[in-house]
Amino acid sequence: MAGAYKIALRAEPQAVHVEDPITLVIRITGDGPPEHQPKRALLRLFPARMQDDFIIQPLPEKDRRLPGENAWEFAYRLQPKHERVTAIPGLKLVYYRPAFGKYVTTYASGIDIKVTPRPQVLPPPEVVAPVTAPPSFYELAPMGQAGDRRLDGLIVAAVLLLTPPLLAIGWRRWKHGNGVRVEQQKRSQAARHALRELDAVNDLETVVAVVNAYLRQRLNVPMAEPAPSELERILARGGVSKALRRRVVEFARACDALRFAGNASPNGTPSREAMQLIQALEAEPCLR
Amino acid sequence: MPALSVALTALPVLLGASLASAEASFHAGVASGDPAAARKHFIAAGNDFDQLLAHRHQQSPALYRNLGNARFLAGQLPQALAAFRQGLLLAPDDAVLRKNLEFARSRVEYPPGARPPANVWPKWLFANLLLGAALLAHALGWLAWTKRRHGWMWFAFALAALLAIAWGVKKVHDLRSDTFVVIAKDDVPLRRGNGDEYPTPPDAPTLARGMEARLLSRRGDWLQIRLCSGQVGWVQNRTALVEWKAEH
């Protein structure tokens, strides 16, 4: 800029709230060579510290050139950042004065302004439409009864997984135990039957037949009339004590001797001896 | 260590207090005659239930139901739908959760033809059928064992093992896929790609809050979803509620 100029400021309004806009008009009057007259692009008027107090925005659409008054007006929007701002500071214009052959500075006075805090803006009262819903929406689910259904599912799955093997094993065990019981009943029935028959007869052939039938049922003797040696082996395999085995074998040999000697009706009492042997066998732990 | 023990001692007390606070807010909302005040109470209750559900061991269908009820009564429809659906993941056969979900769904404004069918087969059904078949085959295997039919027994056990494996695969598949998405805002555009610069397909509806979809993939802040009508597109992550999963 070159020539002779003066600078002045005008602000409107001068009482604002924080961040409310103030229009600042900078008026430069004077004259100079046309190519060095004031231009917005060349103006460097605002000191850097003003940025602490104001938001400054140019308003080029409000700039005016007033040829009749030899004036230029440049408009700016200032927004005070806080309520401690009390004035728009004065500005200085530096330009070259050809008549003096040097740069000169001219000043514009500051403008007092009043900045107040922004009034608190209350939101408009909210209009809320009532929500309508079925009764189940207005009830809280009882937390005590609310378990994780996944856990329930896992428990059910575990029960379903374990029940079949437990039932199967139980059934097999029960069936096995039942079979043993039936076998025992069958055997004790064999003893009772034999003792009853022996009580009624004293005929050697009959006694031998009854004893052999008893042994067949009780010890699963495979043959009708085992030889004494075979009988001892079977009794040993069945776990019968050695002394009792010997008694049984001696009884069988004695019966064979009497039968093959042709003395089928001995003076002794083979039936009583047979009954004692059967009772002794029934008392054996291995046959209980 | 003392800090840890103090924290562990205090946790149930804090959780209990939070549950009591949530229930008190909910009851206050129910008792309030002013819709605006009731809404505030329900929002507070929903926030408390949400805090409780942040602890994984606290999660239960009942808590999700209560959260869904509070969110619905507060006018937060998408959050209510998400809560009911989350609860149904824990208890698929919970009748109240289903009923409330259906009612909440009825309040969503779907474009014509885009509403999800009411009687869809739940995704857990097939998995449960597989599990039931596996347990049945397992039981038949033991029955064959009791009858000493060892051939049948091994066949049944092998079948049970295969069905159990299929069930496990299905469960893992269900867990990793079929993630639901609930649109949380109104007028969400369904875009062709994961960016605002992508256009919306001409036949794609503008998504309304509460609309449900299935998550196909994620890319950055964008979700690729499939609507019930079959249309596929992308929405921004912040515009949707995504199913919470244990691995997330």
Side-chain angles (χ1 to χ4, degrees), chain A residues 17-228:
Chain A
H17 298 304
V18 172
E19 292 188 356
D20 277 355
I22 299 170
T23 303
L24 175 71
V25 177
I26 301 171
R27 182 183 174 92
I28 299 173
T29 53
D31 197 11
E35 67 273 19
H36 296 297
Q37 288 177 346
K39 293 186 182 68
R40 173 180 278 278
L42 299 174
L43 293 176
R44 300 283 184 276
L45 298 172
F46 298 108
R49 60 186 164 78
M50 261 189 84
Q51 303 283 345
D52 296 338
D53 293 333
F54 292 96
I55 300 166
I56 304 171
Q57 289 177 298
L59 296 173
E61 67 277 8
K62 292 190 176 177
D63 289 355
R64 288 200 300 169
R65 172 75 173 102
L66 305 168
E69 300 173 29
N70 270 353
W72 292 262
E73 286 186 352
F74 299 99
Y76 292 85
R77 177 189 292 139
L78 304 186
Q79 291 170 273
K81 291 182 176 177
H82 49 82
E83 66 263 31
R84 295 187 302 279
V85 178
T86 55
I88 299 169
L91 302 179
K92 66 179 182 181
L93 176 69
V94 180
Y95 63 96
Y96 183 73
R97 187 148 187 183
F100 297 167
K102 63 177 183 180
Y103 282 91
V104 294
T105 303
T106 181
Y107 294 90
S109 302
I111 300 171
D112 289 339
I113 59 172
K114 183 175 174 60
V115 179
T116 51
R118 293 190 72 79
Q120 195 176 1
V121 179
L122 294 173
E126 193 181 10
V127 179
V128 178
V131 177
T132 53
S136 61
F137 279 83
Y138 295 94
E139 296 162 359
L140 285 175
M143 299 304 296
Q145 298 170 10
D148 188 339
R149 297 294 180 85
R150 282 185 300 191
L151 188 62
D152 296 349
L154 283 176
I155 291 170
V156 170
V159 168
L160 290 175
L161 202 64
L162 291 176
T163 302
L166 290 176
L167 283 176
I169 291 168
W171 188 77
R172 283 271 290 257
R173 276 182 167 272
W174 175 81
K175 192 182 171 192
H176 177 72
N178 207 26
V180 168
R181 206 160 41 247
V182 167
E183 198 65 24
Q184 280 176 346
Q185 282 174 354
K186 199 166 78 181
R187 286 169 184 168
S188 60
Q189 278 176 354
R192 279 203 304 274
H193 182 71
L195 290 172
R196 202 164 45 241
E197 286 201 3
L198 288 172
D199 198 31
V201 299
N202 202 19
D203 169 31
L204 185 60
E205 286 294 333
T206 312
V207 168
V208 169
V210 168
V211 169
N212 282 333
Y214 165 75
L215 289 174
R216 260 201 315 279
Q217 288 183 31
R218 197 70 177 88
L219 291 166
N220 294 326
V221 175
M223 58 284 283
E225 282 193 30

Side-chain angles (χ1 to χ4, degrees), chain A residues 126 128-134 136-143 146-150 154 156-157 160-165 167-169 171-172 175, chain B residues 19 23 26-27 30 35-36 39 49 60-63 65-66 69 72-73 75 84 90-91 93-94 96 99-100 103 107 135 138-139 142 145-146 148:
Chain A
E126 193 181 10
V128 178
V131 177
T132 53
S136 61
F137 279 83
Y138 295 94
E139 296 162 359
L140 285 175
M143 299 304 296
D148 188 339
R149 297 294 180 85
R150 282 185 300 191
L154 283 176
V156 170
L160 290 175
L161 202 64
L162 291 176
T163 302
L167 283 176
I169 291 168
W171 188 77
R172 283 271 290 257
K175 192 182 171 192
Chain B
L19 179 62
E23 291 182 344
F26 187 88
H27 290 309
V30 173
R39 183 168 186 264
F49 284 130
S60 70
L63 209 47
R65 185 176 129 194
N66 295 343
N69 288 354
F72 183 87
L73 295 171
F84 290 141
L90 297 179
D93 54 346
D94 189 310
V96 180
K99 199 172 79 175
N100 288 8
F103 185 82
R107 295 303 178 94
L135 289 170
H138 169 256
W142 282 104
W145 179 74
T146 59
R148 297 177 194 278

